[in-house]
Amino acid sequence: MKDQIVIGLDYGSDSARALIVNANTGSVLASSVKYYPRWTEGKYCDPVINQYRQHPQDYIDVLEATVKDALAQCPAGTAENVVGIAFDTTGSTPAFTDETGTPLAMLPEFAENPNAMFVLWKDHTAIKEAAEVNDLCAKWEIDYTAYEGGIYSSEWFWAKALHVLRQDKAVREQAYSIIEYCEWLPALITGVTKSSDVVRSRCACGHKAMWHEKWGGLPSEKFLTTLDPLLAGYRDRLFEKTETADKPVGTLSKEWADRLGLSTKVVVAGGAFDCHMGAVGAAVSPHSFVRVIGTSTCDIMVASYEEIGDNLIKGICGQVDGSVIPGMVGLEAGQSGFGDIYAWFKHVLEFPLKNILSKTSLIDEATKAKLIAETTDQIIPALSVEAEKIPVSESTIIATDWMNGRRTPDANQMLKGSIAGLTLGSSAPRIFRALVEATAFGSKAIVDRFRNEGVRIDTVIGIGGIALKSPFVMQTLSDVLNMPIKVCKTDQACALGAAMFAATAAGVYKKVEDAQDAMNSGFAKEYTPNKENAKVYQEIYDKYVVLGQSTGLL
Amino acid sequence: MKDQIVIGLDYGSDSARALIVNANTGSVLASSVKYYPRWTEGKYCDPVINQYRQHPQDYIDVLEATVKDALAQCPAGTAENVVGIAFDTTGSTPAFTDETGTPLAMLPEFAENPNAMFVLWKDHTAIKEAAEVNDLCAKWEIDYTAYEGGIYSSEWFWAKALHVLRQDKAVREQAYSIIEYCEWLPALITGVTKSSDVVRSRCACGHKAMWHEKWGGLPSEKFLTTLDPLLAGYRDRLFEKTETADKPVGTLSKEWADRLGLSTKVVVAGGAFDCHMGAVGAAVSPHSFVRVIGTSTCDIMVASYEEIGDNLIKGICGQVDGSVIPGMVGLEAGQSGFGDIYAWFKHVLEFPLKNILSKTSLIDEATKAKLIAETTDQIIPALSVEAEKIPVSESTIIATDWMNGRRTPDANQMLKGSIAGLTLGSSAPRIFRALVEATAFGSKAIVDRFRNEGVRIDTVIGIGGIALKSPFVMQTLSDVLNMPIKVCKTDQACALGAAMFAATAAGVYKKVEDAQDAMNSGFAKEYTPNKENAKVYQEIYDKYVVLGQSTGLL
């Protein structure tokens, strides 16, 4: 019997990646990345008001391009052996659709209307609407945010939908329903032609749309129309049921089989968010804390019912049955700023290069540009080298990690960062070290919250750019958390996780855990905490808490 | 009648300056600066333990050099018209002497012994001894620190003397008495040959040696021997009386008249500390707050007895009858860090230049050195230009100014600096603006203390490098203090003040105030507070106070 092949498709903020994986062994045959063409041009966005929209045609364009490009790199005959496809995407990234489930921007009259497009996760135009959701939930007999951490965000489904409805009469009149990015792509390639046939993502709906079985699905019609009469009727036209991503949503339509060069027998799995599938790709299991560590972090855990029962974990981003691994509760948390905080300090240090040296007449323009680029590229590596030499006993500068607010524990976007313990001897590497420790302390605050709420954590698994490339940061994190940290070999955990879902949906495995066992990448590295540093850090952490309490809102 | 000429000699930390001034008009005829040769070589110092010693021969070498050099620039016959000389020096900078009043390092057997030299103001080797003075004063029936702000410093007379006595057996056995830098130079050139003939400086003794008329001069023998039996006998060999600097201590000795090319009729005034004479040179008068603004600040006021009576001003550096202007109480305060805080931030920002760009092979070494020097020189000016453009309403970053501890109000060298309100948008100029505001808030804390203790302040007079060269800093200071600030035309206020004392001692004027009226430089610039900014700053100042309270000792 030939090896079975699956395709994991990871749709990120700027680009999509196709990973061609041997479903039996987990070995990666090929990979291809394509950037969204309209997005790359900066279309439909307005950073001043934090409006970020993506055209559905961008997603279609890169779908064909990545899959074909990746398959072209594989041995002849690979395409014939493809048995499954799965998508992970950013989220909450919803769009309004017509009755066929087609995003309005695909209709000619809405082709250039940003309100008819997908509202990207980081779009913050709906701050007012999110506040209204929170106010109403606080008064309502049911707190619909209970399983979403208790605070509804402007980045989420209902806030965005309501904001667009209020903004745009044309969309309002034409819209029939709403779809999440990760639901649309499977629906598209399986040939769905009725909105009611769209399979809804447990992950997206449970974490962002206040869907929960306990209250019969979405919030009640009365709640939604009290929020705004403009929402009348949407509940009935949306959905009652949601599905986990291991379930097939169908097989490739004739059109898409042809466009991708695959057979119509290829099974398409349900969609889910990138970090959730990423956690699966990173071998998440109970008691391991999976962190996607990049500019910010997305932290994912799974817990059995036996472990958490009906407990509501306070102050995290949500807990949803089956959002990560079917049959377990998926828990999401995260830090608003991680690598972004180092990048901020780098930006501060660039001032002499970009504002002064850039104007020199001592060297020619080409050399100048090269010199500035070469130097700025080295700032974080050079800081890391110097910071690593400083003993923990000299970590007398203390910082908080709230330069981009705080996502968890206890979301508060009003919080700001601070640095204390500064002397005339506080050099750039010493400050950098304090910032690295601050991001680790922010991580500890999340871990402590999970533990205090009864969730056991034994180990950390890191994926993402910083996990793979910054040993100093990872060792500090291990010391502060006083826990081992494993770093996955794969730098494509999300796409690999999608491939695992594709394999499960296609029947190669009975359950996601079996796919994980067979297809995981293994670990590239394990960090072990230095017990003496861990002891010192426990004391410094207490100061971090005091610093945050006294200065976060100053 | 010919114009009368005086020489003001300003002995700073690194160099001495001679200013030749027309005593009748105040016009400056010439000036000359010479650096201390042994000090420039780094001799007798150990920065690691904050040991800073200066050889008395350094002072002698530059005395002859500066005076001759300055006189050589004047019209022929100027030397004949010189009627007075006065010195200001750093302090407390004491040295042990023999019975002739000669610093021990002038004797061949002590020529290379740092403990036989002047212990420079910033020498911090006597931290332990200062703590012992404070402990004993707290228990004693008299608090001898009462007129020195209530806290004795390691930078001061008795702490340093005791430290050296404990350290050095040879000095201990040979020492007869102790002399302050500003007392020795007048004694030297007037040919004093007995320690008991040295005229003691009211300014130095009152501010640093716990001398006060109220308790009959220096602390009692019992207090001193309780502190350490090594101090036994010093009190009797030191002094009971002190003199203000307007009084002549004598005339030039034959030797020094010859060496300087002057007549033996030239009157030599009493010595005092640089900032105190600087305040006189800057036209200090009641209700004006004179600030020498450089790396740190030294703040001087004078108040009449009618105004302050027997009030003890809490938490300042001291209040001494006649230490500034005879007949008035001289009050001293200051910030431990001012320009040093900007220099610290500059140093942080230099990291990419000095640790990365410095290693590039893209350009040759000579160009590299030039480029780095050119760029670093521009950091503070470029930050100022950008920071000035930011409206006060956007001053949302808040910092304290304690990166070098706090001198006043309420000395506490354990305090450290902090910065709060940081976001990912906090650019280098925004942080710099916050640091400038922090130094201004530190100034406001001192002004508020004086006012709360009953001392009226109507205006500020600025001298020193930052006052003359940093309009952005000075305007911010004016806005924060909500007071006008005048900046003296002279950039040599200390030497000019010394010239005023020389003129008064020589009888050109009856009192120092008359010399001030006739010889002052006038003002180069006046800053007027922006009333709207002042209002906003009052609110931000409240946050500065909270930030300091919660993070200063973290």
Side-chain angles (χ1 to χ4, degrees), chain A residues 253 298 332 360 454 502 537 544:
Chain A
S253 67
C298 183
E332 186 189 339
T360 190
Y537 278 136
Y544 162 86

Side-chain angles (χ1 to χ4, degrees), chain B residues 305-359:
Chain B
Y305 283 103
E306 291 69 39
E307 183 171 6
I308 69 161
D310 274 336
N311 273 3
L312 276 172
I313 316 296
K314 284 186 212 104
I316 64 166
C317 293
Q319 56 190 97
V320 175
D321 170 26
S323 68
V324 180
I325 292 181
M328 282 190 270
V329 178
L331 303 156
E332 187 190 338
Q335 285 173 265
S336 302
F338 202 96
D340 263 352
I341 293 175
Y342 315 152
W344 160 71
F345 190 54
K346 170 175 181 267
H347 181 73
V348 169
L349 295 185
E350 283 170 359
F351 180 81
L353 297 166
K354 302 219 165 154
N355 291 55
I356 304 169
L357 193 141
S358 62
K359 295 171 192 158

